[in-house]
Amino acid sequence: MTEAAEQQLTETVVESFAGTADPRLRELVTALTRHLHAFAREVRLTEAEWSAGIAFLTATGHLTDDRRQEFVLLSDVLGLSMQTVMINHAAHGEATEATVLGPFFVEDAPVVESGGDLAAGAPGEPCWVEGVLRAADGSPVAGARIDVWEADDDGRYDTQYADGRTAARGAVISAADGGFRFWALTPTPYPIPSDGPVGQLLAATGRSPMRAPHLHFRVVEPGYDPLVTHLFVADEDLTYDSVFGIRASLVHDFVRHGGPTPDGRAVDGSWTRVDVELVLAPAG
Ligand SMILES: [Fe+2]
């Protein structure tokens, strides 16, 4: 009888949305109701747990503002962000696979000339990035803006400093042959912000806040699907990523060198080089 009453409540709530004019909204709220109710019934949710959940979401909202998006972080560590990426960017032939945007992208970062240094003084090992941007049919994509950003060797993005710096971030424009090249930093592991409710969740569940080392790329070019992706570093620990962004096709060799650099820049100590091909899928 209890089970039947519980099931009936779910159906009653679902029916309450039957008059929703927008069919997509009706589909969303109906499925949300079914899954939320199924969750509560599966775990036999206690009232104390319900209250704790409300308090958790409330704290997540209170911490969220223009600079800190704790809800996105929550979505990230639950794998919802990556699941949404995978649903919306199905593999298209040999097009470069997508992964999470993350919270540190900045619109209108400065354009750096070909071969320039995006690191702009950020601490870390220099990394020469050389690549080509092309379409799935093999033709080069010229004149496209390629946004690049990453954490520095201290594990922080420029936006996490209070001094307003722009560093380890910028954009390059692909040449006539689709080629691009620039200096950046060899990516190193860094923790996602863990001083809030999401950090408490990770701690309570024995999970690390660390992200697998990566370099972010974004290319938004007319006629092509927008590409948001990372390069992951092959010889780093790729067994765990706190936001589940790793895809095997995105793992690249960052080859360590000493001595002369590709453009003759004088580098004190070691530097790395990664070669990359970014392949855009046709729009739609
Ligand atoms: Fe990142």
Side-chain angles (χ1 to χ4, degrees):
M1 281 308 286
T2 302
E3 192 176 328
E6 291 172 0
Q7 185 61 43
Q8 182 55 52
L9 174 60
T10 302
E11 293 308 319
T12 300
V13 177
V14 166
E15 283 164 22
S16 76
F17 291 120
T20 305
D22 181 336
R24 176 60 173 168
L25 178 58
R26 184 167 65 245
E27 181 180 7
L28 292 172
V29 293
T30 297
L32 180 65
T33 299
R34 290 196 193 284
H35 286 274
L36 277 177
H37 283 226
F39 161 73
R41 293 170 63 195
E42 177 184 325
V43 303
R44 308 310 298 167
L45 190 68
T46 69
E47 289 173 316
E49 289 161 349
W50 178 88
S51 292
I54 295 292
F56 178 85
L57 292 173
T58 302
T60 301
H62 282 165
L63 193 56
T64 296
D65 60 20
D66 291 347
R67 295 175 60 89
R68 175 75 180 263
Q69 235 302 354
E70 192 76 356
F71 273 113
V72 172
L73 213 52
L74 179 58
S75 168
D76 289 350
V77 303
L78 292 176
L80 178 61
S81 304
M82 192 58 194
Q83 192 70 270
T84 306
V85 166
M86 293 175 84
I87 290 166
N88 286 278
H89 300 277
H92 177 93
E94 57 176 337
T96 303
E97 290 191 295
T99 188
V100 291
L101 177 67
F104 300 115
F105 174 71
V106 171
E107 293 280 0
D108 301 322
V111 174
V112 171
E113 64 186 28
S114 181
D117 186 8
L118 298 181
E125 181 186 42
C127 175
W128 176 256
V129 181
E130 184 150 345
V132 64
L133 180 68
R134 66 173 178 85
D137 67 5
S139 57
V141 178
R145 179 188 170 98
I146 303 168
D147 271 280
V148 182
W149 67 106
E150 62 179 327
D152 65 21
D153 217 28
D154 294 325
R156 298 167 89 182
Y157 283 81
D158 53 3
T159 53
Q160 294 176 291
Y161 293 93
D163 58 11
R165 73 183 71 177
T166 295
R169 173 189 308 281
V172 291
I173 307 297
S174 60
D177 62 356
F180 58 88
R181 52 198 58 77
F182 56 88
W183 283 102
L185 301 173
T186 310
T188 50
Y190 70 88
I192 60 171
S194 59
D195 57 343
V198 170
Q200 292 166 10
L201 174 66
L202 293 179
T205 52
R207 279 180 50 185
S208 164
M210 298 306 288
R211 288 226 51 205
H214 59 272
L215 182 62
H216 290 263
F217 281 85
R218 190 184 86 143
V219 182
V220 179
E221 185 67 5
Y224 301 96
D225 263 358
L227 174 64
V228 174
T229 194
H230 296 358
L231 300 188
F232 289 95
V233 183
D235 58 0
E236 291 277 359
D237 179 6
L238 298 177
T239 56
Y240 177 81
D241 182 28
S242 55
V243 308
F244 308 99
I246 300 171
R247 307 185 93 165
S249 70
L250 302 180
V251 177
H252 283 65
D253 289 321
F254 285 67
V255 182
R256 184 156 285 110
H257 297 273
T261 55
D263 65 344
R265 173 187 174 186
V267 170
D268 230 10
S270 66
W271 52 277
T272 61
R273 171 182 177 136
V274 62
D275 288 88
V276 57
E277 191 174 55
L278 298 177
V279 182
L280 301 180

